[in-house]
Amino acid sequence: MGANIYKNKKPLFLFLVPAFAFMAIFLYYPFIQNILNSFKQITELGAASKGWNDPWYTNYVTMFQDENMRVAVRNTILMMVVTIIGQVGIAIVLALLVDNISHGAKFFRTVYFFPIVISATALGLMFNLIFLYDKGMVNQLLESLGVTELIDWKGEKLALITMMLPVMWQYVGFYFVILITGLNNISGELYEAAAIDGATGFQKVRYVSIPLLHNVMCTCVVLGVTGALKVFDLPWTMFPKGIPLGETWLTGTYMYYQTFNTKNVDYSSAIAVLIVVLGIVTAKVINTIFKEKDY
């Protein structure tokens, strides 16, 4: 009797229609419209287009010739590498360490996850104060250690590092929670069997924890790499308009700049399309390299 209720599937469509309608209105339509806008002339946000570009692919030619766009793509790719090594890599180490302690595990889980719940804008302002040239916390600490020459952390040479460090610090806790959950799902019997076979703590991690955590790590890497394409709020707060000298542009911040500062809406639409394409390609590459395994 109970199984018969699943035979009539017509009511399912009634419940699925609102979800599909919502996605069509707020996801698919804006996405398709954005692609069309990238081929038109739109000089201001919310304004009607002045017609199609001549030629229609003008914005894409401009994008490949734009030096700032090349800088933004280069920095975004670098951000992906920082994400894999600095965020997911550190999160793996922290998760393994916390999983192997008997006291204070809950405390460390809270502490490591805490940065992700703080507003990125607030974090950007905080790190601006930390890296100030005059009376910034880092330079004051260096002065107390005897360093006489102040470091310009937001200058041309160190701006990119200064921008990426807070982004890396903020999201480590996010991947830490995912990885520690994956570790908790590993059966304790496997560790007991390894201990009976004489495995040391390091060998348990190498031959039990890491292999069984492989699929979770793959998920974290894909999330991190695709998320690097959308990083915006914290870098923009620390380096609005890509200063100094545009060396800190990311695809997300440069798209925002073109939309709201230069009012070049059609060009920013083309950048948005490029971000989508980069996201699809990189996700495909990462999924190919880090293939999930069946156990």
Side-chain angles (χ1 to χ4, degrees):
M1 178 80 181
N4 291 332
I5 63 173
Y6 298 106
K7 290 183 178 180
N8 185 10
K9 296 183 179 181
K10 292 181 180 179
L12 293 178
F13 292 100
L14 181 63
F15 293 101
L16 290 174
V17 165
F20 281 120
F22 182 87
M23 293 179 65
I25 295 172
F26 296 102
L27 178 62
Y28 299 122
Y29 171 74
F31 177 68
I32 295 172
Q33 187 62 50
N34 184 81
I35 295 175
L36 295 176
N37 289 344
S38 68
F39 300 117
K40 297 179 179 180
Q41 297 180 32
I42 306 175
T43 56
E44 191 170 352
L45 190 67
S49 69
K50 298 180 179 180
W52 298 94
N53 285 319
D54 184 23
W56 56 272
Y57 50 83
T58 298
N59 284 322
Y60 292 93
V61 174
T62 303
M63 186 165 54
F64 283 100
Q65 296 174 343
D66 188 353
E67 179 62 28
N68 285 329
M69 192 64 219
R70 286 197 287 268
V71 171
V73 173
R74 181 197 66 196
N75 290 344
T76 301
I77 293 173
L78 183 59
M79 180 69 79
M80 293 178 186
V81 176
V82 169
T83 296
I84 295 173
I85 299 174
Q87 293 181 2
V88 180
I90 294 175
I92 291 171
V93 174
L94 294 177
L96 291 171
L97 290 173
V98 172
D99 188 58
N100 284 279
I101 61 175
S102 55
H103 300 287
K106 291 184 179 180
F107 169 77
F108 287 109
R109 290 181 186 183
T110 303
V111 169
Y112 293 147
F113 184 73
F114 185 70
I116 197 65
V117 303
I118 304 176
S119 166
T121 305
L123 288 177
L125 294 174
M126 181 184 73
F127 278 100
N128 273 338
L129 297 175
I130 290 174
F131 290 115
L132 277 176
Y133 179 77
D134 185 22
K135 303 303 180 182
M137 189 183 77
V138 176
N139 279 341
Q140 287 191 59
L141 179 61
L142 293 175
E143 281 183 316
S144 66
L145 295 175
V147 178
T148 56
E149 186 177 352
L150 297 178
I151 299 176
D152 187 6
W153 295 99
K154 298 185 70 174
E156 183 179 355
K157 294 182 179 179
L158 297 174
L160 201 57
I161 297 174
T162 302
M163 179 187 69
M164 289 187 176
L165 281 176
V167 177
M168 181 181 69
W169 177 77
Q170 182 187 18
Y171 285 96
V172 165
F174 174 72
Y175 301 111
F176 165 80
V177 170
I178 297 175
L179 290 163
I180 198 70
T181 303
L183 286 171
N184 291 338
N185 290 331
I186 298 176
S187 175
E189 296 177 356
L190 297 174
Y191 293 109
E192 294 176 4
I196 293 173
D197 290 336
T200 62
F202 176 77
Q203 289 174 327
K204 291 178 184 178
V205 170
R206 181 180 178 183
Y207 296 108
V208 179
S209 299
I210 296 296
L212 294 178
L213 204 61
H214 178 271
N215 291 347
V216 179
M217 289 190 291
C218 290
T219 301
C220 290
V221 171
V222 172
L223 289 174
V225 169
T226 54
L229 288 165
K230 300 179 288 184
V231 173
F232 165 76
D233 38 14
L234 203 159
W236 182 263
T237 304
M238 295 186 66
F239 295 96
K241 301 181 182 179
I243 57 175
L245 303 178
E247 288 299 315
T248 57
W249 284 127
L250 297 170
T251 51
T253 56
Y254 192 55
M255 180 187 67
Y256 183 90
Y257 175 76
Q258 289 293 335
T259 304
F260 292 97
N261 291 73
T262 65
K263 307 298 182 181
N264 200 351
V265 178
D266 53 336
Y267 185 51
S268 66
S269 297
I271 297 174
V273 173
L274 177 65
I275 292 175
V276 174
V277 172
L278 286 175
I280 295 172
V281 172
T282 52
K284 179 63 177 178
V285 171
I286 293 299
N287 279 320
T288 303
I289 296 174
F290 300 92
K291 292 182 179 179
E292 293 191 353
K293 299 179 180 179
D294 294 326
Y295 295 99

